[in-house]
Amino acid sequence: MQYHQLGPSDLHISEIAYGCMSLGNNDADNARLVHQAIAGGINFFDTADLYDHGRNETTLGKALQGKRKEVIIASKVGNQWREDGSGWDWNPRREYILTAVEESLRRLNTDYIDLYQLHGGTIEDPTDETISAFETLQQQGKIRYYGISSIRPNVIRAFADRSHIVSVMMQYSLLDRRPEESCFSLLEQQGIGVLVRGAVAKGLLVGKIPEAYLNYDAAAVARVAEAIQRIATPDRGPAATALRYVLQQSPVTSAVVGMRTSGQVADALSAVTAPPLTPAEILQLQQVLPVNKYDQHR
């Protein structure tokens, strides 16, 4: 496993991370998957208070008992569940963040979170108030570092310019190359780490029946999946090929992968030892479709 420093932090995280939203409802099954991932070298586990009404944090906390010092835990805040459970509302206010972290710490059964992330954001948010909450939590030792999870360039720019974020989590794959347009260069210049989610585009790049995705129709999606299949090899299957494309982009620190089965954990881990894509292979994949761009939130 390769480990990379996350932005200016002292966190060194595995290049394949575990996206815990994919975990199910059985604590024992979840623990087996988490332990398999740890045995394979994964040390970064990403969850959120939003997932399964907080139960995702709880099951991860149970799985990591006795292993806290071996791992790096990331969680997220900003989506507040309504009391009746009918949905959630966006709440980036300082008071809410300072309260929500206490519940996340309790569910995770830990006294600190390594990376606490704002789970979204708009340019109309009280950004300075949000930043002050994270800075306070950092000073209190309840979080070690903070970042954001956003695909909106205007929000990313605001935090990059006005805060001490160490990372941005964003969707990125061969079917969503929007970050290449402006965000990657900005974050690389400022030394901020990139955590990628959606590297296999909901499975569309690795065998799922093609369907429309963003601005691409099903036929276009199928062409990219076929291109991946063509350059896949026995020691670098389709999943590893899709992940290698993402991981070989210089601003990317880690790919956060959702894994529901032992086989999916093994597939994700195979990307670590898979041969890298050659420049010619990368160009071949990039030329299948016209690159997409951000239409909003620029």
Side-chain angles (χ1 to χ4, degrees):
M1 179 67 70
Q2 297 292 316
Y3 299 88
H4 305 296
Q5 183 176 352
L6 183 62
S9 78
D10 65 359
L11 303 176
H12 287 77
I13 70 174
S14 49
E15 66 176 0
I16 300 295
Y18 207 121
C20 295
M21 186 174 72
S22 61
L23 294 174
N25 296 320
N26 187 297
D27 289 339
D29 289 344
N30 294 340
R32 280 191 286 272
L33 291 172
V34 167
H35 296 167
Q36 178 186 355
I38 292 173
I42 291 175
N43 73 347
F44 186 85
F45 294 83
D46 177 79
T47 181
D49 59 5
L50 177 67
Y51 302 157
D52 199 17
H53 291 78
R55 288 186 288 270
N56 193 262
E57 288 181 322
T58 300
T59 195
L60 178 63
K62 290 178 180 179
L64 292 178
Q65 286 310 293
K67 298 180 179 294
R68 181 65 182 94
K69 293 182 179 179
E70 301 174 38
V71 300
I72 294 167
I73 297 176
S75 194
K76 311 183 196 74
V77 66
N79 295 291
Q80 183 176 13
W81 279 104
R82 299 177 193 134
E83 289 188 10
D84 63 5
S86 63
W88 62 85
D89 299 303
W90 178 239
N91 189 349
R93 308 298 306 205
R94 172 184 168 86
E95 182 180 3
Y96 173 66
I97 293 172
L98 296 181
T99 301
V101 74
E102 301 295 342
E103 291 301 304
S104 286
L105 289 168
R106 177 184 62 79
R107 289 189 292 262
L108 289 163
N109 197 18
T110 184
D111 54 6
Y112 68 95
I113 295 170
D114 297 286
L115 178 68
Y116 204 36
Q117 302 157 99
L118 184 68
H119 201 176
T122 74
I123 202 63
E124 290 79 28
D125 288 346
T127 301
D128 291 332
E129 180 181 332
T130 301
I131 293 168
S132 75
F134 285 118
E135 294 281 347
T136 295
L137 292 176
Q138 197 171 31
Q139 292 161 10
Q140 293 173 343
K142 294 177 180 176
I143 66 173
R144 293 177 66 189
Y145 300 98
Y146 66 95
I148 63 171
S149 176
S150 178
I151 61 171
R152 298 181 172 186
N154 56 5
V155 172
I156 291 169
R157 280 195 299 271
F159 276 87
D161 291 341
R162 293 154 62 181
S163 77
H164 297 100
I165 59 169
V166 300
S167 64
V168 174
M169 180 178 287
M170 60 177 65
Q171 180 171 289
Y172 177 60
S173 72
L174 276 165
L175 286 173
D176 187 359
R177 292 174 56 201
R178 294 175 297 175
E180 294 177 5
E181 181 189 358
S182 60
C183 294
F184 275 3
S185 59
L186 168 69
L187 296 173
E188 192 165 29
Q189 288 168 8
Q190 300 209 18
I192 296 169
V194 173
L195 302 171
V196 166
R197 61 178 178 82
V200 296
K202 301 191 300 184
L204 293 170
L205 296 176
V206 292
K208 184 178 177 180
I209 296 173
E211 61 183 47
Y213 189 87
L214 296 179
N215 58 313
Y216 301 124
D217 61 20
V221 169
R223 289 200 298 275
V224 178
E226 290 163 2
I228 288 175
Q229 190 68 49
R230 282 195 299 272
I231 68 170
T233 64
D235 52 356
R236 191 189 65 213
T241 299
L243 285 167
R244 288 299 341 155
Y245 175 80
V246 164
L247 291 169
Q248 287 177 230
Q249 308 305 312
S250 57
V252 174
T253 306
S254 180
V256 181
V257 183
M259 299 169 255
R260 294 180 182 275
T261 67
S262 177
Q264 289 176 349
V265 175
D267 282 346
L269 289 172
S270 72
V272 175
T273 55
L277 297 173
T278 66
E281 288 173 328
I282 290 174
L283 184 61
Q284 182 179 339
L285 292 172
Q286 290 177 333
Q287 290 179 336
V288 176
L289 296 178
V291 66
N292 38 21
K293 299 180 181 297
Y294 288 110
D295 294 325
Q296 300 175 317
H297 313 294
R298 296 184 65 87

